[in-house]
Amino acid sequence: METHELISAVQALEPAAVPREKVDRAAVVAPVERFLELMARLRDEPDLRFDMLCTHTAIDWIAEARLELVYCLYSTVHRHYLVVSASVPREAAVMPSMQALWPIAEWQEREVYDLFGVRYTGHPDLRRILLDDDWQGFPLRKDYRDDFMLEGPK
Amino acid sequence: MGSGWETTTLAERAAEAMPGSLLAGAGYVLLAVVGASLFVAVLGMALIYAERKVAAHFQCRLGPMRVGPHGIFQTVADTIKLLFKEDIVPAQSDRVLHLAAPFFSMMATLLALVALPMSPIVQVADMNIGVLYITAVTGFGVLGVLLAGWSSNNKWSLLGAMRAGAQIISYEVSATMSLLVVVLFSGSMQLSRIVESQADGWWIWRAPVVGVVAFVIFLIASLAEISRTPFDLPEGESELTAGFHTEYSGLRFAMFFLAEFVNMFVVSAMATTLFLGGWMPFHIGGVESFNAVMDLLPPGAWFALKSAAVVFLIMWFRWTFPRLRVDQLMKLEWKVLLPIGFVNLFAAATAVVFGWYFFPF
Amino acid sequence: MDVSRMNPIVAPPLRRSGFFADIVAGLRSLLQGMGITFRYFSHPSTVVTQQYPENRATLKMFDRYRMRLSLPHDENGFHKCTACRICEQACPNGSINVVSRKGAVTGKTELDRYIWRMDSCTFCNACVMACPFSCLKMNGDFECSVFDKSLLVFNLTRYAGPTSTVLMKVENPEERRKLWEPRDVYSGPLPLRGTELPGGGKTLGKPEEPARSET
Amino acid sequence: MSAIVTTLEQRIGRGATTQEFFVNMGPQHPSTHGVLRLVLKLEGETVKDVIPVLGYVHRGVEKMGEHLSYRQFVHLTDRLDYLSALANNWAVAKAVEKAAGIETNERIETIRTLVAELQRIASHQLWWGVFGMDLGAFTPFLYGFRDRERITDILEETIGARLTMNYIQPGGVMFDLHPDFQRKVKEFIAYFRPKLEEYETLLSRNIIAQERMRGVGVLEAAQAVALGATGPVLRASGVAHDLRKSEPYGVYGKVEFDVPVGARGDCWDRYWVRIEEIRQSLRIIEQLIENIPEGKHLLVKPAVRTKVPEGITYSQVETARGVFGVLLVSDGKDVPYRIHVRTPNFNNLWAITRIAPGWRVADLVTMISSLDIVVPDIDR
């Protein structure tokens, strides 16, 4: 499916979804409230069939005090991509877990939790995955500092 | 038989000398003890060196090249290193058993060496139940492995030990089954008489077909008994790190290592004795001129050559084959080797009854 | 995109045929494998091992091999570095430190010390690529192991002063000499633990290379 | 205390019972291919559960990337999946080129394809050797390395490094091909084809190896997709998903090759797919090596810090282990605002938690090896 077709297909499922600008492939921003339902339908809708969660990560837009959670979906049936994103506030980053839809989300979400501090509701085992269990802070947040960090090059 | 070989053993000579002079008797015993220890140490080092070199050349490498010309003193250096290394006993281990386990393994190996006829005159003790004895004492080695695995208080070691226990006990059956074929044909359990019975041809080919089958089964089963690849599950490096001897270091590790390699020799020597004519030169019944040429090499050299060939075969297996899985190992034993072994034994018995073998006398 | 354009070829199944057929086929497969290993065993010419310290005379790295950063000095002993710091900025992990100074005579910026930390270098070649004057080079001197990490900090310059282009414009050797000032091979930052350099700071067989600084 | 004793007695009275126990496989274990830790729940030898514990070589590549220019970031990807460093470089280069609109020429793309395919072969050779070793045969390990050395030498001559190449740059490749490259690659292909047959005889046709692989660790297609597995692991499950075909980059669109897929998704299929991929890579190289187009090898000045316009770019390549993706978020500066790498091994690893239960420890080793894990790629 072409980019605009995909976007309109998603908007048919979720009217509140708006296309995300400046992404090199079909991308939408969806509201957090009905996110899980949207994702479930994206996975199961016969025209869409996004059966693979390619990657999931977050972007810390510190200036706007929000974390943008990015889900890159892929369909091995129709061979198309879709980037779905949702924004959660930085200080209260809570997101429904996609673990029931794509098992891989369990670990991808653990990684995002580990590095960004997003809390996933309904996640069976939300622990740190890459860092030590007693690590303080969430390193990929832009305001993260610790004693060992060097200044970036000018 | 009428081969004309005179066989004497050290035990016999000691017994002969004993009434005459106690000192001479004791001398023979001392000779046996010192000789055996030296023999085991040198043999172990030679085998380890050989293994490393053979492995290297199978793998397009050179192997040890640094210590001495072509690295021949490498194993000596390694042995010295192992002797001086700290002997670590894990804190939570069963200390006494942990310390004792390597000796059990070593003991089994040494006891097996006692009965091997290496030449008409080099044999420590020639028992009339030699075959049975060897089977018994090699089975004893599993005790050391089990104790080592249990006493280390390490789960990997325990897994290795349990594998070893199951494996060695299972494969005893097949090994014995194939030994019995030779016992049937030669009509004796005494190792020297088994060797003498092969004056006209080795049992591997003189016993038609059943000899070869028995030899193959014996080789496979013995490989499993001494835990060599493809049956090295008890220590399967990629699975159990080092299996039962994970927690061993220094001298005690060296003893396991030595026992493993000398076991390989014991198996080769047994295969040689039973199937390949032992120290008997290569004879073809009735062709006297050919036999005379073969007799030029002394019997001891024949034994060494044949054993070395089998050792090489075992190494060759090790550096070619992957490892079996536990259940496949058991399947191979109980579903393949054992039925074939039974049928083979039955066929051998039939052959003996009807005299169906080459060069009957 | 339809699947047929992928030209998928499907894995052949592993079949079992029967008790005896499997045993025979299995033994055959084992013997074939043994044949392969034996071929190598019986052909010592297939050995690929290189006896390293013995073959040092013949062992040559490829020209592009990236190991030690060097600042080649020309036949007059002059380098071309203008201390522009582009390499310093190109370095992803801060392994390069270009210390510049105002020339005592010329009054322009010139290179004082070129400090390269091999201990943090990832040999990514970015500095060599970035250098607009092509005055850096990675060479194949791979024998760099030392017992002390602090010995892995090198000073690549043999003198402080202007580039070779500037120096060669000056015709009088006496005048030239006034423009540069030799840098002791040990004049880099002070050693972390006061380690002495073994062998006078020279690495194996490369006397023309700038010696390591005593950091 | 007495309660425990009595229950034990009762158990013994009822007959032998078994007890599940936990054992740590790793971080130092010969078969975890690095510092990966698997907590195993075992019942005897049977694996009940596998819990991977990661992070022993976590280096924070993504955080580092936020402080490095795009060109500088490339060299960090060498250190993720070090066996397909070139493909990883390519993924970053591709992302930056796409985002910044840098055009490349035919020669650059051909060189990239060639070296990436060479490295795919090298990676599979190494995998083959290690797989053999994990099955207990040590010799394949050395044969694999011996033949891999040839490729490493070819690449070293052109690139100057053996493992962490940092060769493919945004806007081109670091060096032009070495004059000897074509000749040596042809020599290598002539050398390696018979060797591949030896590989087959030594391991693929070996009855013990076949028995160890047959039906072990079946990963079904739907499960593999849902677990985000890619590369040979996914293809062995029967899903013909290969980026080189489905969205051709480089010059993959112009060469002929087949995509090997498995029928059942067991270890044998994963094994076979990789062996067949070596053949297909050789085919690709053979088609390309004869006429490499002329042109410049680097179109962007190396000292320039490329500025990427604002936006998100996701680009991915097919490495030897699967899909390596780079999610590049730019705010218009010369350093990324956020750079995320989607590594194939991180996503492939979790298949082990689904396929291992019920099999034995020895099979677990086979399965890990058949997933072809590179730990730094998991931990980033």
Side-chain angles (χ1 to χ4, degrees), chain A residues 65-140:
Chain A
R66 65 185 172 96
L67 287 171
E68 184 179 5
L69 297 171
V70 181
Y71 296 80
C72 183
L73 304 179
Y74 177 66
S75 163
T76 54
V77 183
H78 303 297
R79 298 182 191 282
H80 50 212
Y81 288 88
L82 178 69
V83 177
V84 187
S85 65
S87 285
V88 291
R90 277 183 101 243
E91 298 318 316
V94 181
M95 191 70 188
S97 171
M98 299 296 139
Q99 187 263 338
L101 302 178
W102 298 280
I104 187 64
E106 179 180 343
W107 300 285
Q108 290 180 348
E109 283 167 359
R110 267 178 75 184
E111 185 193 326
V112 175
Y113 162 73
D114 191 359
L115 302 173
F116 285 94
V118 178
R119 287 177 201 279
Y120 290 92
T121 50
H123 192 287
D125 183 25
L126 198 61
R127 287 180 293 133
R128 287 196 182 269
I129 188 168
L130 294 174
L131 302 174
D132 288 349
D133 287 343
D134 54 355
W135 196 275
Q136 297 295 314
F138 303 105
L140 277 181

Side-chain angles (χ1 to χ4, degrees), chain A residues 150-151 153-154, chain C residues 67-70 85-99 113-128 136 138 149 152-156 189 213 215, chain D residues 64 68 72 75-76 79:
Chain A
L150 298 172
E151 290 292 313
K154 281 111 234 165
Chain C
M67 194 67 220
R68 253 181 70 161
L69 188 67
S70 61
R85 291 169 184 275
I86 287 177
C87 49
E88 198 178 308
Q89 280 169 22
C91 184
N93 36 41
S95 302
I96 294 172
N97 193 3
V98 178
V99 183
R113 291 190 184 90
Y114 193 101
I115 291 153
W116 171 59
R117 301 187 58 114
M118 191 190 225
D119 54 352
S120 62
C121 182
T122 54
F123 312 101
C124 69
N125 213 32
C127 48
V128 179
L136 285 171
M138 285 265 187
K149 196 176 119 182
L152 290 173
V153 183
F154 295 86
N155 178 18
L156 303 185
S213 64
T215 283
Chain D
M64 271 193 262
L68 295 177
Q72 287 173 337
H75 93 289
L76 290 179
R79 286 151 180 84

Side-chain angles (χ1 to χ4, degrees), chain B residues 26 167 187 210 233:
Chain B
Q167 170 180 338
V210 286
L233 294 101

Side-chain angles (χ1 to χ4, degrees), chain B residues 58 155 163 238 319 323, chain D residues 22 31 45 135 139 143 212:
Chain B
F58 274 130
K155 287 164 188 167
R163 284 179 175 191
S238 57
W319 300 109
R323 181 186 307 124
Chain D
F22 285 91
S31 297
E45 282 243 5
L135 290 184
T139 304
Y143 289 178
R212 287 292 300 275

